[in-house]
Amino acid sequence: QVQLVESGGGLVQAGGSLRLSCVASGSIFSINYMAWYRQAPGKQRELVARITSGASTNYADSVKGRFTISRDNAKNTVYLQMNSLKPEDTALYYCNANAQTSLGAQGFRYWGQGTQVTVSS
């Protein structure tokens, strides 16, 4: 019912920047929040940043001051601006959204397929 498509990943040197995008489409009545998670091989998936319908944000301690999450409500798009990238930021980054498909319906979490971010030292 809801599809999320990420883009913007790639290879960058330490200290560089990348901007990730995630577009939500499908039968969307409302989106409660959108978020970015990441997962490296052998590690658990972790929350990187989250933005609510009220535009409040929160970040993992490891990315505070370096990453910025933002959204374009008209386009159902969330962005993650990543600056001062470090090798430890290397991971598959997933877009996540809690969305309702109709008025009164339960909100469900939807996931994108991920976009790879690789930071070289």
Side-chain angles (χ1 to χ4, degrees):
Q1 297 186 50
V2 178
Q3 298 81 43
L4 304 177
V5 179
E6 306 101 329
S7 62
L11 175 64
V12 66
Q13 292 185 356
S17 299
L18 285 173
R19 180 178 172 87
L20 306 183
S21 299
C22 172
V23 180
S25 62
S27 182
I28 301 173
F29 176 77
S30 65
I31 297 177
N32 182 35
Y33 66 80
M34 299 186 78
W36 288 97
Y37 288 74
R38 67 186 181 187
Q39 187 169 28
K43 295 184 178 181
Q44 68 181 49
R45 186 174 298 188
E46 65 172 337
L47 176 66
V48 177
R50 183 174 182 265
I51 185 165
T52 70
S53 59
S56 63
T57 60
N58 56 66
Y59 298 89
D61 289 340
S62 60
V63 307
K64 286 181 179 178
R66 300 188 297 120
F67 291 10
T68 302
I69 188 170
S70 61
R71 67 182 186 182
D72 184 334
N73 291 333
K75 298 179 179 179
N76 282 333
T77 301
V78 64
Y79 305 94
L80 186 67
Q81 179 66 46
M82 305 184 293
N83 299 325
S84 302
L85 283 162
K86 304 174 181 179
E88 50 263 45
D89 294 319
T90 296
L92 190 64
Y93 283 70
Y94 295 92
C95 181
N96 170 251
N98 181 280
Q100 296 173 259
T101 57
S102 65
L103 178 64
Q106 180 181 359
F108 291 97
R109 299 184 74 181
Y110 299 89
W111 294 90
Q113 292 300 306
T115 184
Q116 179 67 40
V117 172
T118 303
V119 184
S120 62
S121 60

